[in-house]
Amino acid sequence: MTIIAAHQPHSPAPPTAPPPTDGVAVVMPAYREEANIAATVDDFLSTMVRAGIPHAVVVVDDGSDDRTGELIDRLAAAHPGRVIAVHHERNLGYGAAVRTGIDTALRRTGFREVLLTDADRQFHADDLVELREFKRRERADAVIGYRRRRADPWRRRLNAKVWTVLCKALLRVPGKDVDCAYKLIDRALLQDLRLTGQAAAISPELLCHISTDGSRIVEHPVEHYPREHGEQTGARLSVVVRSLASLAIVYGHMVRDARRLAWVRRLAAPKDPGAALVALAAAVAAVLAYLYFADHGLLLAYKDANSHLLIARRVVDSPTAGLAQLGGVWLPLPHLLAAPLSAWEAMYTSGLAGAAVSMLSYVVCARYLYLHAASLSGHWAGGVTAAGLFALNPNVLYLQATAMTELLLFASAIVAVHHLHRWCVESRLRDLAIASTAVLAATLTRYEGWILCAVALAVVAYTALRRHRRYAHTEGSVLVFGFIAGAGVVGWMAWNLAIFGDPMNWRSGEYADSSLWVAEGEANVGSIGTAAQSYGLAVLHNLGIATAATGLAGLIAYAAVKRLRHQWLTPYALLVFAPFFVYALYAGERPLHVEEVMGALYNVRFGLVMLIPAAVFAGYLVGLLVRRLPRPRTGRTARALPAAVFAAAVVAGATVAVDGAVTLDEAAEYRASGWEADNAAVAAWLREHHDGGTTLMMSFENESVTFESRLPTGSLVYEGSYRIWEEALADPRAAGVEWIYMRATPGAEDDVWEALWGTPQLEEHYELVYEEGDRLVFRAADQEGDR
C-alpha cells in the first residue's frame, strides 16, 4: 500500500446531480466485446447483490460493429435501473468512452463511488468488495488497482512498462500500474473534471488531475485474468500513436495549468542559458547529421552497428527472447537502451533504434563539456569552445548518427568527471552520487569505462584523505562511490558466471578471444613504440592537428595554474584512455590500424575518445585567455562580443583543420571490400526469396547478411538460441529448420558449415538454392516456392 497525498475537503456536487447515496456506479467502456460483455456485467451485478452494495453498471458501447450494443440493451431491459446502456454512433476511442461513462454515472446515479473498469473479463468483481473495504479503512478518496501478475503476452507487458515509465516521468502520476483498469474513486473527485485524453492517455490524465488537489490516493493489488475472447486493441500501432499524441497534449495542458512539471516551465528561463542553448544547438546538429548520413545511405556502414542492433532486437524478438540475448562479450547498457525502440520494425531496420541512444548521448556530452570547461576556466567562452570542438567534429557527427557505443561512453565519462570535480571542490554528496552513477553507466557501456572507474576511485580516495586527513572519512567516501561505480564490473562478472559458468567469459570465452581480431604478427603487438605511434596517429586523424595542439597547450596551462592540488585533479582522469589503448595494442588485446603503419584503417575510432580531454583543456585555455582580453566599458553585448568571436574563431579553425571523417572512411573502406560485396549479394537474394520460415544461420561474422537480408529475428536460430542451436545443428529437419545459410570460406568456415557440410541431414532433406562465392543457402526439399 502506498499513500500518495493527504486528505482535503472537496467541492459539493452541482445542484443537478442526484443526492449522494452509498453505493457504486461501475463505468465500463466496451468495443467489440459481444463475447465478454454479458458475463462481465452479470459478474458485477451478482457480486454487488451478494455484498449488499447499492449499484448501477454504466456500459458505453463505443460504436461497436458487432452485437455489443444489442447485448447491452438487452441487459438494460433485463435489469432496469441497475444497467444503463449508452451508445456512441461511431467509434470514438477508449478515452471518449471513459468520459461518456463518467458523465453518465454522475448525471444518472447518485452513488458516492465510481469504479472505472473494462468489459473484457480480465478483471472480476470480487476485487471491488476488497477495494471498497480497503478504501474505507484507509479513509482514502480513491484506490488505484495494480495487477499482481499481469496475464498478458510479454510484448504487451513490455509496452505497458515503457508507457508507465513515460507517464510517471512526464506527469508525475501516482501508482505503479498507470493503465490498470480498476480504479475506485469518490464522485467528488470526478465532479468538475474536464478530461481530454484519447486512447490510453485518459488514465494518466485522470490520475494527474485527481492527485493535484490534496486528495488521499492509495494503491491495492487486484487479480488479472487472461483474455478468453475478442481482440486486444491497445497494442495496435494506430492506438499507440494516438495515445502518445494525446499524452503530449495532456502534458501541454498540465504545464499550461501549472499543475505539474515546473521543470518544463524552467526551460523558458533556465539557470544556465548557455548550457540550454548549447544543448538545443547540439540537438539540431544531431538531427541534421542523422538526416544527412541517412540520405547518403551511410548510417549502418559499420558492421558493428548491425551487430548492436541485432542484439537489441533479439532481446525483444527471437526464438529465445529475453535478457540472455545480451550475451557476455559486449557490455549490455547500449543494447538495453535500444531494445525497447528496436521492437518497432521501422526503427530497427533504419538503425534509428541504436542511433537514438547515440544522438541523445551526443547532446548530453556537448552540454556537460560546456558546463565543465566553463566551470574550470571561469568563463562561458571556455564552455562554448569545448562544446563546439566536440559537437562540430566530423567524426563525432558521424558516430552519433549510427548505432555504435562510443557516444554513450563519452557522455558517461564527462558527466562523471564534471560531477566528481564539483564534489572535490564543494563536497556535496549529491555530486558524488551522480558521478558514481555515471561511472556505472560507463562500465556497462565499454571496457574503457573500467579503467575510468579505477582512476575515479583513486581520485575519490586521495581527495577524501587530503580533505579530512582521517581514514574513517576516507573509507566512507570510497565506499559510497565504489559501491555504485563498481557495481557494473561486479555485476557483469556475475552475469557471465550465471549465463556461461565463467565470470571471465567476457575476456576468455569463445567469442572474446583477442586472436579473433588481432592478426598474428601484427606490428603493434610487442612494440610499445609502434603501439604509441599507431594510437597517436589515430588521435590526430580524429581530432585534427589544431584541436590536438590547442588541447595540449590547455593541458600545460592547466597544470601550470592548478598544479596537482586535490581539488583540481579530476580533469586529469580523462587522460587515462591514451595509456589504456596503447597498452591494449601492445599486449595484443585490441587491434588498431592506421594507413601510415599498417596500410589500412581499422578501429581508428578508438582515438576519438581523446577529443573529450582535448576539448576540456582547449576550453580552459580559451576561457583563461578571454578573461585577459580588454573589456569595453559599456554595453553587455559589446563586452561579450570579443569573447564570442575568439571562441568561434578557435572552434572554426580547429574544425576546418580536421581532415574529413576518418571514422566514416574506415567503415566505407570495409563496405567496399570483396567480402562485403559477397555478403550484400546474398542478403539481396534472401530479401527477395526468403519466406519467413525458420532459418539456421550463425551470426558471428555474418552480421551484415543477417541484418541486411531482413530475416525475421523471431524465426532465426543462431548460436545464442539457447538449446535450440545445438539441436538444429545436429538435425535441422527435426528442429523444424526450413532454411540454412552457411559460409564456406576456406580457413574461416562458420559453425553451420562445419556441422552440416557433407552430412546426410543436409544432402537428403535440403537442396542448394543459392551459391555465390563462399556463401551457400539451402532450403528444405519439400518446400514450395522460388528455387
Side-chain angles (χ1 to χ4, degrees):
M1 183 272 291
T2 303
I3 297 175
I4 309 297
H7 174 76
Q8 287 183 356
H10 303 290
S11 303
T16 55
T21 59
D22 186 47
V24 177
V26 179
V27 172
M28 192 180 295
Y31 178 65
R32 293 180 179 173
E33 295 290 359
E34 64 175 339
N36 296 309
I37 189 64
T40 306
V41 172
D42 286 342
D43 177 36
F44 275 93
L45 292 176
S46 58
T47 299
M48 289 189 284
V49 167
R50 287 197 306 272
I53 302 173
H55 61 271
V57 178
V58 178
V59 187
V60 181
D61 170 33
D62 188 28
S64 302
D65 52 10
D66 60 3
R67 297 175 59 246
T68 300
E70 175 187 341
L71 291 175
I72 66 171
D73 284 339
R74 290 183 182 179
L75 289 167
H79 305 282
R82 297 174 60 207
V83 176
I84 301 172
V86 186
H87 299 273
H88 287 169
E89 292 185 2
R90 57 186 178 85
N91 180 240
L92 300 178
Y94 183 76
V98 171
R99 288 193 296 273
T100 298
I102 292 174
D103 180 64
T104 303
L106 296 178
R107 285 189 298 104
R108 298 183 58 180
T109 78
F111 298 124
R112 290 194 176 95
E113 295 172 314
V114 175
L115 176 73
L116 303 180
T117 188
D118 283 346
D120 54 12
R121 197 77 176 110
Q122 290 198 266
F123 296 97
H124 291 182
D126 291 340
D127 283 304
L128 170 59
V129 179
E130 190 172 347
L131 253 67
R132 201 160 181 258
E133 177 58 33
F134 181 73
K135 180 173 174 288
R136 290 180 177 176
R137 196 165 60 243
E138 293 294 324
R139 298 181 180 178
D141 299 296
V143 182
I144 304 168
Y146 66 88
R147 287 161 279 206
R148 280 193 178 93
R149 288 173 296 277
R150 184 162 183 160
D152 283 330
W154 70 269
R155 287 186 185 180
R156 190 168 172 83
R157 295 199 304 272
L158 177 62
N159 290 343
K161 288 181 180 178
V162 174
W163 173 254
T164 295
V165 169
L166 181 62
C167 292
K168 292 180 76 65
L170 292 180
L171 302 180
R172 305 287 180 87
V173 294
K176 64 183 71 173
D177 191 356
V178 169
D179 62 341
C180 177
Y182 218 86
K183 300 177 178 69
L184 184 62
I185 306 170
D186 279 351
R187 70 179 290 135
L189 295 184
L190 302 172
Q191 200 75 58
D192 299 317
L193 281 189
R194 296 295 181 266
L195 301 175
T196 62
Q198 301 295 326
I202 188 72
S203 188
E205 182 188 22
L206 172 67
L207 292 175
C208 190
H209 276 288
I210 67 174
S211 61
T212 57
D213 60 356
S215 304
R216 177 171 165 76
I217 314 295
V218 295
E219 292 182 274
H220 194 276
V222 296
E223 299 298 332
H224 191 237
Y225 302 89
R227 175 184 272 270
E228 297 179 358
H229 307 287
E231 176 189 3
Q232 290 177 323
T233 60
R236 289 180 181 174
L237 181 59
S238 60
V239 176
V240 171
V241 171
R242 194 159 68 248
S243 298
L244 290 172
S246 182
L247 183 64
I249 294 172
V250 170
Y251 179 85
H253 290 170
M254 293 298 112
V255 175
R256 178 198 64 195
D257 298 339
R259 289 177 175 269
R260 284 288 192 274
L261 317 169
W263 66 271
V264 176
R265 295 192 297 278
R266 286 199 299 270
L267 288 178
K271 290 182 179 179
D272 191 330
L277 289 173
V278 164
L280 179 61
V284 172
V287 173
L288 292 177
Y290 177 85
L291 295 175
Y292 172 83
F293 291 116
D295 185 57
H296 288 73
L298 298 170
L299 293 179
L300 298 173
Y302 272 103
K303 178 185 69 173
D304 285 356
N306 298 162
S307 300
H308 293 307
L309 288 165
L310 283 166
I311 293 171
R313 174 75 168 194
R314 285 166 176 156
V315 171
V316 297
D317 183 29
S318 78
T320 53
L323 294 181
Q325 294 300 313
L326 294 171
V329 179
W330 267 327
L331 287 159
L333 184 58
H335 309 130
L336 283 171
L337 295 176
L341 299 176
S342 68
W344 294 7
E345 189 71 20
M347 295 196 74
Y348 164 66
T349 55
S350 68
L352 184 55
V357 177
S358 295
M359 293 165 72
L360 179 60
S361 301
Y362 167 82
V363 174
V364 170
C365 194
R367 180 179 186 274
Y368 268 89
L369 279 168
Y370 170 87
L371 291 172
H372 193 53
S375 173
L376 292 180
S377 67
H379 199 283
W380 58 265
V384 169
T385 301
L389 290 175
F390 169 81
L392 296 179
N393 183 285
N395 295 287
V396 171
L397 284 170
Y398 176 65
L399 284 182
Q400 70 87 37
T402 189
M404 300 293 280
T405 60
E406 279 75 15
L407 268 297
L408 183 56
L409 172 71
F410 297 172
S412 301
I414 189 59
V415 171
V417 166
H418 176 67
H419 283 283
L420 188 56
H421 170 71
R422 291 186 60 173
W423 174 78
C424 290
V425 174
E426 302 174 14
S427 303
R428 295 195 308 179
L429 187 59
R430 175 178 177 271
D431 287 312
L432 188 65
I434 294 174
S436 61
T437 303
V439 171
L440 171 64
T443 64
L444 292 174
T445 299
R446 293 184 63 87
Y447 290 104
E448 297 95 291
W450 293 25
I451 190 68
L452 176 65
C453 179
V455 172
L457 192 61
V459 169
V460 170
Y462 180 74
T463 301
L465 188 60
R466 290 296 303 272
R467 178 183 293 156
H468 302 292
R469 300 187 182 279
R470 293 179 60 186
Y471 174 77
H473 287 89
T474 302
E475 181 184 38
S477 298
V478 169
L479 287 175
V480 168
F481 182 85
F483 181 79
I484 300 174
V489 177
V490 175
W492 189 237
M493 291 186 178
W495 173 264
N496 275 259
L497 176 63
I499 299 296
F500 302 101
D502 178 8
M504 298 299 291
N505 177 79
W506 57 273
R507 190 177 187 278
S508 58
E510 180 182 359
Y511 300 105
D513 194 330
S514 59
S515 64
L516 292 172
W517 50 80
V518 180
E520 186 176 353
E522 186 161 312
N524 294 318
V525 179
S527 172
I528 194 69
T530 305
Q533 180 188 12
S534 294
Y535 190 70
L537 288 169
V539 171
L540 287 177
H541 289 321
N542 278 284
L543 275 61
I545 186 67
T547 300
T550 309
L552 180 59
L555 172 61
I556 294 171
Y558 185 84
V561 174
K562 305 296 186 182
R563 298 187 176 87
L564 293 177
R565 291 192 289 270
H566 66 271
Q567 301 98 319
W568 305 98
L569 279 180
T570 309
Y572 295 120
L574 291 167
L575 301 173
V576 73
F577 297 116
F580 169 82
F581 275 114
V582 170
Y583 175 78
L585 301 184
Y586 166 78
E589 295 294 329
R590 292 286 187 276
L592 187 155
H593 301 167
V594 290
E595 294 278 2
E596 296 87 340
V597 178
M598 303 289 288
L601 296 173
Y602 185 42
N603 283 342
V604 70
R605 67 186 183 279
F606 289 170
L608 187 58
V609 69
M610 295 309 294
L611 178 59
I612 305 300
V616 167
F617 291 118
Y620 173 78
L621 179 64
V622 168
L624 202 64
L625 295 175
V626 164
R627 288 167 58 192
R628 286 163 172 75
L629 290 174
R631 300 177 64 188
R633 295 183 178 180
T634 58
R636 184 174 180 180
T637 302
R639 290 196 300 271
L641 187 59
V645 170
F646 186 66
V650 171
V651 171
T655 302
V656 170
V658 181
D659 187 18
V662 68
T663 53
L664 178 56
D665 293 341
E666 174 194 338
E669 183 178 291
Y670 174 77
R671 285 295 186 179
S673 66
W675 175 277
E676 278 300 285
D678 289 344
N679 284 342
V682 68
W685 188 91
L686 285 168
R687 278 199 306 273
E688 182 179 352
H689 296 88
H690 196 276
D691 59 5
T694 302
T695 305
L696 176 63
M697 178 180 184
M698 187 176 183
S699 183
F700 183 70
E701 296 293 354
N702 293 322
E703 296 92 347
S704 299
V705 178
T706 308
F707 184 83
E708 293 175 8
S709 63
R710 301 294 186 259
L711 296 179
T713 53
S715 61
L716 188 63
V717 177
Y718 81 113
E719 62 268 31
S721 302
Y722 181 61
R723 294 183 178 174
I724 303 175
W725 170 249
E726 291 79 7
E727 296 173 2
L729 286 182
D731 191 343
R733 186 178 184 226
V737 171
E738 301 169 44
W739 294 80
I740 298 175
Y741 171 87
M742 61 177 64
R743 188 186 67 246
T745 307
E749 298 90 347
D750 65 15
D751 288 358
V752 178
W753 189 92
E754 294 278 2
L756 293 175
W757 182 253
T759 63
Q761 290 92 333
L762 181 67
E763 295 177 350
E764 295 176 8
H765 303 296
Y766 294 86
E767 61 177 317
L768 183 65
V769 293
Y770 178 90
E771 181 177 12
E772 184 70 31
D774 302 321
R775 276 61 170 178
L776 307 174
V777 179
F778 292 84
R779 192 176 186 182
D782 57 353
Q783 293 293 311
E784 297 180 357
D786 294 329
R787 291 286 189 264

